[in-house]
Amino acid sequence: MATEKKHKLKIIPLGGLGEIGKNMTVIEYGTNIIVVDCGMSFPEDEMLGIDIVIPDITYLIKNQDKIKGICLTHGHEDHIGSIPYLLKKINVPLYGTKLTLGLVENKLLEHKIEDAQLNRVEAGQTINLGCFKVTFIRNNHSIPDAVSFAIDTPIGMIVHTGDFKIDYTPINEEVMDLGKLAECGRKGVLLAMSDSTNVERAGFTESERTIGHKFLEIFKTCESRIIVASFASNIHRLQQIINAAVANNRKVAISGKSMINAVKVSQELGYLDVPEGTLIHVNDLKDYKDSEVVLMTTGSQGEPMSALTRMANSDHKKIQIKQGDLVIISANPIPGNEKTVSRVINMLYEKGATVLYDALTQVHVSGHARREELKLMLSLLKPKFFIPVHGEYRHLMQHAKLAEEMGIPEKNTIIGKNGDVIELTSKSIAINGSVQSGNILVDGLGVGDVGNIVLRDRKLLAENGLIIVVLVTERGSGKIISGPEIVSRGFIYVRENIDLIEESKSVIRKALSKCEDTKIKDWNNIKMMIKDALSSFIYEKIKRNPMILPIIMEVKPDDMSSICDALKELEV
């Protein structure tokens, strides 16, 4: 008890609460920290130009000496996608199952990270990380080698379910270790943290095997080329596509970098059984009849650069959608991706393809537990305290209500937000402050260099365009010797709006005269006067708010001819 008085157990979610994706949870006691998962999420519509979103790990960087390791529940991007970015800042040990680490290794190769500390752990095994004992418990999800964690801490046991569903007939025949979870419940679980994604859906999630039967049925009656889009990391789904292809004497080609990598890693590690001679290169599709091939591809979420989207846009270098193709989208849109998926489906139909997706026929089952499975998990664990995780705020709220139905008092459940410091003793749970958290935006090779101001400017440019006002002044005297010239991009077409441009120049000249009359000579103030005057005029005239960028160049008189030529080029 003396130890407990000295320290409280802290649960600090840095991602995964109030959102789908970006999962990362810090568990801290004294000078000991372990981290559960290190994920990413995809950008929202307003994050123009952003590739991925990762958690803010400032807290971990400040406390890196305390970190004993990062424990990974499974190999989906929303749980491992941030690892390369974290390891570039702090090199800490990673613990995961064979396939999970295989997928991590592949990511590290892409990022040229060679000194990662990867530690393979089998389901059922227990490891010691500082004052924590972490037991890896086999569960079922839409990827093999997924696990839950039973974490023994100095004040009691935490069970983190990870993403899970209870599948009694999984593809790999490795059923979730419900006995181990029940054993945790008998020993006493202080805190349960459980997947909330499908809490709004009643009943049980269907077994993955039901999709295999559906694929066999579809492939058997189809005479055309079949294209199946799925998550690259859904290895069980890929296996069933391959099984259906083999059963119907079809060859399988693969398109999409992440899909190619996932198949390669899964085959090497023994998680994907592909009969010899089944796989062919995309270039060889032309050598077979349409009825003899299946194409597995990325793009089930309508990602702009994915293989399926490029096919739908006729941008794919090697594959064109043609009349009669059967396209199966074997995934549900992640919240926020509905419009992009719908757009791709429409484009596929326009090109003459037949498209099957979950709204029409069952070509997808979730990897997440529904309400009855969530109830079963709570009844097995019998936790004293509860934190719903992995879900938008409405999911967390519904899961909290479900826990109350299962006998967990409302005061013993915390609906947290990213950055909350949730403090735990053997008798209490409460939020006590917060740490720095949020979104770090990755744009190309830039990590965190695009923030709210840049996004605001991108949005403004996308919606209203840009006006550049160029003035040339004489060095020394400050006298305006050329301009104003106006360059428009994404605002209006200058040659068809000469009158508006001339009126705008007149407004700028008046602003400059005002600056001269009031003895304003500072360039920043002059630019502000130009922006204010031109912005008011344009809004009054055509009710638009373009970005206005004044540029004042200072030159010698001898340079004027070349400057004028450059300005004429800009106007064009």
Side-chain angles (χ1 to χ4, degrees), residues 76-106:
H76 279 156
E77 288 292 321
D78 58 333
H79 294 260
I80 66 170
S82 294
I83 288 173
Y85 303 98
L86 180 140
L87 292 183
K88 289 174 184 177
K89 298 286 187 181
I90 48 176
N91 191 359
V92 295
L94 301 173
Y95 297 87
T97 52
K98 184 166 70 170
L99 179 60
T100 302
L101 291 187
L103 294 169
V104 168
E105 282 180 339
N106 208 48

Side-chain angles (χ1 to χ4, degrees), residues 323 344-357 360:
Q323 187 78 30
V344 169
I345 291 172
N346 287 328
M347 288 191 293
L348 291 169
Y349 272 124
E350 287 171 6
K351 287 181 168 50
T354 299
V355 188
L356 294 181
Y357 47 100
L360 295 180

